[in-house]
Amino acid sequence: IGYETNLLGDCPRRVTVDFERGSTKHHFENVAPRWDKKLKSYALPFFGRVKKASAKNFQLVVNNDPNTIFLMFGKISKDVFCLDYRGPIAPLDAMAIALAAMAKKRAV
């Protein structure tokens, strides 16, 4: 699980996830959010699942295809997040990705 350094916080963070399942390698990247003029913030389509804007909201896809989402993680309310995933991501993989997203990142 990798996060691109974003010290200024002027754009959404980039997330990449790489793992092997058997002899198959998997590589996922987050969908880049678009600026929403109405909300005056970056936004992603969460199909009604996510209710709050958060820097921790993200979706993982393969080959930058937003029509095939393998993992969605987003804020529903204060201290409540939802996690949706599908194969080849296993439940333990999804939980590890979500926990890494929740970890406080500090510039050192």
Side-chain angles (χ1 to χ4, degrees), residues 22-41:
S23 62
T24 306
K25 292 182 180 182
H26 298 281
H27 175 78
F28 300 93
E29 293 183 358
N30 67 308
V31 174
R34 295 183 182 207
W35 183 258
D36 188 313
K37 292 178 184 177
K38 185 178 176 184
L39 297 173
K40 295 184 181 176
S41 70

Side-chain angles (χ1 to χ4, degrees), residues 2 6-7 60 63 90:
N6 182 8
L7 296 177
L60 293 180
N63 297 327

Side-chain angles (χ1 to χ4, degrees), residues 22-86:
S23 62
T24 306
K25 292 182 180 182
H26 298 281
H27 175 78
F28 300 93
E29 293 183 358
N30 67 308
V31 174
R34 295 183 182 207
W35 183 258
D36 188 313
K37 292 178 184 177
K38 185 178 176 184
L39 297 173
K40 295 184 181 176
S41 70
Y42 288 97
L44 288 166
F46 278 98
F47 316 104
R49 293 282 291 146
V50 174
K51 307 295 184 199
K52 300 279 187 181
S54 172
K56 293 177 173 68
N57 294 353
F58 67 93
Q59 299 171 343
L60 293 180
V61 297
V62 175
N63 297 327
N64 208 22
D65 177 11
N67 297 318
T68 309
I69 300 169
F70 288 90
L71 183 138
M72 291 194 315
F73 182 73
K75 190 171 188 174
I76 294 176
S77 63
K78 185 179 185 319
D79 299 327
V80 178
F81 288 79
C82 70
L83 175 62
D84 298 330
Y85 62 93
R86 66 181 184 158

